[in-house]
Amino acid sequence: MSPDMIIDWLQATLRWGAPLILVAMGEVFAERSGIINVGIEGIMLTGALAGIAVSFFTGNVFLASIGTMLLGALLGLGVAYLTVSRRTNQVVTGLMVNLAALGGTNLLFALLSESRHERVATFPLLFPASFSEIPVIGPILFRQPVSTWFALILPFFAAYFLYRTDWGLNVRAVGDNPKAAATAGLPVIKLKYEAVILSGIFAALGGAALTLSEVGYFASGGMTAGRGFVVLAAVVVGGWDPVRVALACLVFGAADAAQLRMQAMGSTIPYQFLQMLPYVITLIALAGLVGRTRAPKTWGAPYDPADI
Amino acid sequence: MKNEKQPRFLSLPGIGDLALSGVRPLIGISLGLLAGAVLIAISGVNPFTAYVAMLQGALGSPQAIANVLVRASPLLLGGVGVALGIKAGLWNVGIEGYMYAGAIGATWVGIAALPVSPLVHITLAILAAGVVAVIWGVAPAYLRAYRGVNEVISTIMMNYVAIFLVSYLVHEPQPMAEPGSFFPMSLQLAPTARLPILLRGSSLHPGFIIGLAACILFYLILRFTPFGFRTRMLGVNPVGSRYAGVNVKRQILFVLLIGALAGGVAGAVEVMGLKGRLYMDFVAGVGYESVAVALLAAGNPLGVIASALFFAALKAGGATMSIQTGVGGPMTIIIEALCVIFVIGVGYSERKRLTRADKAVKGDEEVKHNVA
């Protein structure tokens, strides 16, 4: 492997890891509040299409991000209503959101057929192109779109909000012991809603980052390809800590980047085995690290205010 | 059991259960179809025209009914595999992967020209499908049972791996692949490995009979055998069942592997009954729809029969609706998902009531077993 290839791989690692990080940062808060939003795969997929559609019609990436986040908030609200207020099973709810999103995006994409495979306005580079002339770190860091930079900085803000603000403390309290939190006067239901809506917003934004950071088009048939579930794994592997979860996302991004590089290089390994790589690594990481991290105490359990 | 919103008679034992288990799905399905009608209307088609077309496509002729039964075959088998897991409190959502794995096994044996009778060849191919699918299920099942790895994530990861494995196997120069074909596919199955056609002029094969038999068999196992009792006990109260002497880990392993077996047979039936060879993406989401089937049935194997037939009718009718009215084909998937969402949203799910019943033992352990 030449240094150039390693630089190229690291650059792609950040680019493919960034959407995962965005999705994961919302999910961390939802899970810390006790709600596993399994629907992030579907919301991400919806965001991927919404980002492309708004960008196609307005030509404005900023509007596309805002529109996508609003849609994500709406879907997050739906998931929150079902899992928090109706106390439905979180796995069932999420899986059905994913199924509906798969059908919905296929249907809508067929209607928006004129934008099919047509490249739309994508996220611009954050730094002037001349920065990428800097050896080594230039191409790795500065040939990255705004979305990647946002994803790289976000985990530190997320950690700040989770550990250093009242709101973060309250969300953690609600996930660990909702009854005590309610007794202490915290609005448990409201906090859970906020955390789940946040996960919807960032899941959708992550989807938009996937389509608007590089490829610039949407592909029918579930183009997120299980990345939402990879994020669910990353949250567990990273122990519900924003920075460590982001690192886990980067590892999975690296696997994605590696398989794409190896395919492009014409590796002798059949490309299907390369495509399996991110999923296999996720499985191995989950198997190796699960149980060493502490889940929020009411992780995945419904909360009934009437239960004393 | 206090719940102010429910009329009093619903809390009576027996009557309440029956009313709730029957009424809630019907209300939920009605709301799901209504929401589907709204979506169809938004897309610019008269929902009545669309649903009439759907009904005709599902039930309008013997061929249509045969088509529903063909589509129901993998849903019955996949659905009952998921349902068994639900009864044990496990989310065996790897049916898609087991179907691919099973199809590999069935194709492997099916393409061989064996000098045996069709009955023997078909049996061997289905056995091979079961073996490959169970082997496919070992990793997530073991990890869930003995290492506590979340089975939702692991089985879905395995689904993607299975899809790529099939893609590899049907591409040249793999021995299973059809040489010189434009679209990657396997060799054709030997005539002796094809399931017979039951109705002339249709593609009705005995797959749905295998599916129905599996549903009834799983119902009897759950209801009348010690294994079934342990499975249900695990679902109701994992901590309690451990105290009662159940080998919880082994039980989890077996429940997940049996689900894999059912999924594998579903894949075999699809290849041997309908497709005649193995393609890339030949399942196209049926595994995920089986999850919806099992959820609509609340994990009850007999309920799976009803919900699989309902979903198959939606799919078969949806194809007709799509052709006649121009409503997009994926609309049926949305309606399926909406039906399940409304059914679980209408009332507390079965599981929720069970959770309430044993909240006395609610602790770290229980929460972990519920979700991890």
Side-chain angles (χ1 to χ4, degrees), chain A residues 148-166:
Chain A
T148 305
W149 277 95
F150 182 59
L152 291 180
I153 295 162
L154 187 66
F156 300 102
F157 279 100
Y160 175 79
F161 274 100
L162 190 61
Y163 298 125
R164 296 269 182 266
T165 65
D166 287 351

Side-chain angles (χ1 to χ4, degrees), chain B residues 196-265:
Chain B
I197 294 296
L198 300 179
L199 178 68
R200 197 179 287 273
S202 78
S203 46
L204 185 64
H205 58 75
F208 74 98
I209 298 172
I210 301 174
L212 289 175
C215 289
I216 294 165
L217 181 69
F218 277 47
Y219 172 76
L220 295 176
I221 288 173
L222 273 171
R223 190 78 181 75
F224 296 113
T225 67
F227 177 85
F229 181 71
R230 287 198 298 269
T231 304
R232 286 183 290 136
M233 186 154 58
L234 184 64
V236 175
N237 189 338
V239 179
S241 51
R242 200 173 66 215
Y243 287 134
V246 176
N247 185 340
V248 170
K249 292 176 176 171
R250 202 181 59 190
Q251 192 70 17
I252 291 174
L253 186 78
F254 282 162
V255 166
L256 289 174
L257 289 182
I258 292 171
L261 179 69
V265 175

Side-chain angles (χ1 to χ4, degrees), chain A residues 249-266:
Chain A
C249 288
L250 282 179
V251 171
F252 299 141
D256 232 347
Q259 65 97 353
L260 287 167
R261 300 302 105 177
M262 285 162 81
Q263 275 190 54
M265 276 159 48

Side-chain angles (χ1 to χ4, degrees), chain A residues 255-306:
Chain A
D256 232 347
Q259 65 97 353
L260 287 167
R261 300 302 105 177
M262 285 162 81
Q263 275 190 54
M265 276 159 48
S267 160
T268 49
I269 305 168
Y271 70 90
Q272 292 95 343
F273 287 93
L274 297 174
Q275 286 175 317
M276 291 175 195
L277 197 64
Y279 306 102
V280 173
I281 285 177
T282 305
L283 200 56
I284 291 170
L286 208 54
L289 287 166
V290 86
R292 304 205 184 157
T293 52
R294 194 191 72 90
K297 286 221 179 70
T298 62
W299 191 56
Y303 168 67
D304 184 348

Side-chain angles (χ1 to χ4, degrees), chain A residues 176-253:
Chain A
D176 276 339
N177 194 338
K179 282 167 207 160
T183 310
L186 293 182
V188 175
I189 304 289
K190 179 168 166 270
L191 284 162
K192 280 177 182 271
Y193 261 87
E194 287 167 354
V196 175
I197 290 171
L198 198 69
S199 74
I201 292 174
F202 280 101
L205 189 64
L210 188 70
T211 43
L212 290 182
S213 74
E214 184 67 12
V215 281
Y217 59 82
F218 185 83
S220 205
M223 77 170 292
T224 45
R227 285 190 176 83
F229 290 98
V230 170
V231 166
L232 287 178
V235 173
V236 175
V237 170
W240 294 269
D241 172 73
V243 176
R244 283 194 289 151
V245 168
L247 287 175
C249 288
L250 282 179
V251 171
F252 299 141

